[in-house]
Amino acid sequence: MSIELEAFPRDGMTVVVVKGEIDGSSAPKLQEKILPLLQNDGALVLDLGAVSYMSSAGLRMLLLLYRHAASHNGRVAIAGLAESIRDTMEITGFLKFFTVANSVDEALQTLKKG
């Protein structure tokens, strides 16, 4: 399955909508496209509501995005996680690195607050 990405500005932040499966072949491509969107002191919302599967390569990509954002005083929020992906991220401790929201609107509001 292919992966699709759409990025657009909203409320002074960048929203990235990802659709498809994040695995060993798609994770590097996503990382290559998303990293340049993480501006210094910026905020990014990853809408993963249309992601049906995420392998360990996807988790590594998310961790790299988090580290990059943290080193540039930025923030990353994740919106719309499927329950199975959310469970995996919770068990592995990945959720503690991100602001997690049920929707893009909720993620934007949370990032605006601080």
Side-chain angles (χ1 to χ4, degrees):
M1 175 158 192
S2 66
I3 193 85
E4 295 177 31
L5 179 138
E6 177 187 359
F8 54 90
R10 182 160 165 210
D11 297 342
M13 295 173 241
T14 301
V15 175
V16 178
V17 180
V18 181
K19 297 177 183 176
E21 296 181 351
I22 303 175
D23 57 22
S25 64
S26 62
K29 295 172 192 167
L30 280 177
Q31 179 180 313
E32 186 179 295
K33 292 179 180 179
I34 296 172
L35 272 178
L37 302 174
L38 282 166
Q39 303 296 321
N40 288 342
D41 301 318
L44 183 132
V45 175
L46 272 177
D47 180 356
L48 301 180
V51 172
S52 57
Y53 171 79
M54 184 181 302
S55 73
S56 59
L59 294 174
R60 283 191 302 274
M61 179 210 57
L62 290 177
L63 185 59
L64 185 110
L65 293 177
Y66 165 78
R67 288 180 176 163
H68 181 83
S71 70
H72 292 86
N73 205 26
R75 296 169 294 148
V76 177
I78 298 175
L81 281 174
E83 189 174 336
S84 60
I85 297 172
R86 186 184 194 111
D87 290 346
T88 301
M89 290 181 72
E90 188 169 7
I91 290 167
T92 57
F94 275 73
L95 284 186
K96 66 183 176 188
F97 298 116
F98 301 96
T99 298
V100 180
N102 292 321
S103 68
V104 170
D105 290 338
E106 183 182 319
L108 290 167
Q109 289 299 320
T110 302
L111 288 175
K112 279 183 194 176
K113 291 177 184 174

